[in-house]
Amino acid sequence: MQRSEERVEEAETADADGAAGDDAAAGWPRYWPLLLLGAATFPGAVLYLGGRWMETPAMQAWRTVCLAVTVQALPFLLLGTALSGAINAFVPAGVFSRALPSRPVLAVPVAGVAGAVLPGCECASVPVANRLIGRGVPPAAAFAFLLSAPAINPVVLTATAVAFPGNPAMVAARLLASLGTALGVGWLWLWLGRAEWLRPVVRHGGHRAGGSRWREFREGFQHDFLHAGGFLVVGAMAAATFNVAVPRSVLDAFSGSPWLSVLFLAGLAIVLAVCSEADAFVAASLTGFSPVARLAFMVVGPMVDLKLLALQAGTFGRAFAVRFSATTVVVAVVFSALIGGALL
């Protein structure tokens, strides 16, 4: 009798569970059209609102600046990475040791002056300097080349002469201040630099016996370009954000003070990240600032900017990039003030 009652209770419990399941199953069709409607409309609403936001004037300006910085620097990045790959594959390691003086203190000025022969911007000099270090060039000499190459090459000096017509003193001041900064930073690295700050990316170590030089060139070029190109895009996005976020009135607030204008344009050059072949025209347009301040803009910009800082951090490490960039800015501002004050 007791077992019969237990069976009845189990049957009733099973019936209740089945009824509950049927109710749940019966309730599901009432809600799934709403879920389906939400799944269909939510992504569309996000895309619609996001599209309208991307079409605002501010975002259009952001896209324009970001694309302009990237496109402007990309050809020179291609040039630099191609040259870097060619150095790795085709140039014997002994060439650099024979071309530079054995003493690093003398190798710095030779490398700094040699930077004038590379008609590229700062994006091109980073992979080349890294490759030079990998081939046995003293880091101080490679850094002097890294800073001078985008600042004193003939293309940049010609663009400066065109941007400042009838003002050869500005061209001379840019040449002397940029070369002085490159040599000064190179010698400072010899004095204060530490090996643990510099961690170059491990790359191919030159031509391997029995290997194809063209294949090594292609592999080195591909690796360097993809590695540096990602950091270039990050820097371009940061520069575009600053251009959109900072109002024009902020520029006018600093133009009245001689010292503040120099510091402000030096900082502006860092965040605008204008390629060295075009920064002279930007400096010439800043007519409200003093000639010394505009000189500081042209000296600092090719040596320290957001995209270059990102490239250096990705190539040599963050510890190096922070210290090296801060030192370069200080030295560049000092040389700009001294030489600009004497010539302009």
Side-chain angles (χ1 to χ4, degrees), residues 72-340:
Q72 191 179 52
L74 193 58
F76 300 103
L77 181 61
L78 284 168
L79 173 64
T81 51
L83 182 59
S84 172
I87 290 173
N88 176 69
F90 299 108
V91 180
V95 170
F96 303 107
S97 60
R98 292 193 298 267
L100 293 175
S102 57
R103 298 180 60 185
V105 69
L106 299 178
V108 168
V110 174
V113 174
V117 303
L118 178 63
C121 75
E122 56 273 19
C123 300
S125 62
V126 173
V128 174
N130 184 50
R131 186 70 68 184
L132 292 175
I133 295 174
R135 302 305 297 273
V137 173
F143 297 150
F145 174 86
L146 184 151
L147 296 177
S148 66
I152 65 173
N153 68 72
V155 176
V156 170
L157 296 180
T158 301
T160 305
V162 173
F164 294 89
N167 191 2
M170 182 64 79
V171 181
R174 180 171 193 176
L175 171 63
L176 295 176
S178 299
L179 183 58
T181 301
L183 302 187
V185 172
W187 282 322
L188 281 174
W189 177 265
L190 284 177
W191 180 31
L192 302 174
R194 298 180 182 177
E196 59 265 25
W197 294 347
L198 180 62
R199 291 183 172 86
V201 177
V202 177
R203 303 186 190 278
H204 302 291
H207 175 62
R208 294 182 291 271
S212 170
R213 293 185 182 271
W214 285 107
R215 180 178 180 180
E216 292 170 358
F217 167 76
R218 185 177 66 253
E219 290 176 351
F221 169 77
Q222 180 180 355
H223 183 279
D224 287 347
F225 179 75
L226 293 178
H227 184 267
F231 290 97
L232 169 63
V233 173
V234 172
M237 293 173 66
T241 301
F242 178 87
N243 275 270
V244 172
V246 178
R248 179 70 184 183
S249 58
V250 175
L251 301 178
D252 301 331
F254 289 88
S255 60
S257 173
W259 289 105
L260 286 179
S261 62
V262 170
L263 296 177
F264 181 77
L265 284 194
L268 186 65
I270 295 173
V271 295
L272 287 183
V274 182
C275 193
S276 58
E277 275 74 17
D279 62 354
F281 299 96
V282 177
S285 67
L286 301 173
T287 55
F289 292 87
S290 66
V292 176
R294 288 186 280 177
L295 174 64
F297 179 89
M298 293 186 292
V299 173
V300 172
M303 299 182 178
V304 183
D305 62 34
L306 290 179
K307 68 177 185 296
L308 182 56
L309 184 61
L311 285 169
Q312 290 179 358
T315 303
F316 300 113
R318 287 186 299 175
F320 166 83
V322 172
R323 293 178 174 88
F324 185 77
S325 298
T327 302
T328 302
V329 170
V330 173
V331 176
V333 169
V334 171
F335 270 96
S336 298
L338 293 177
I339 294 177

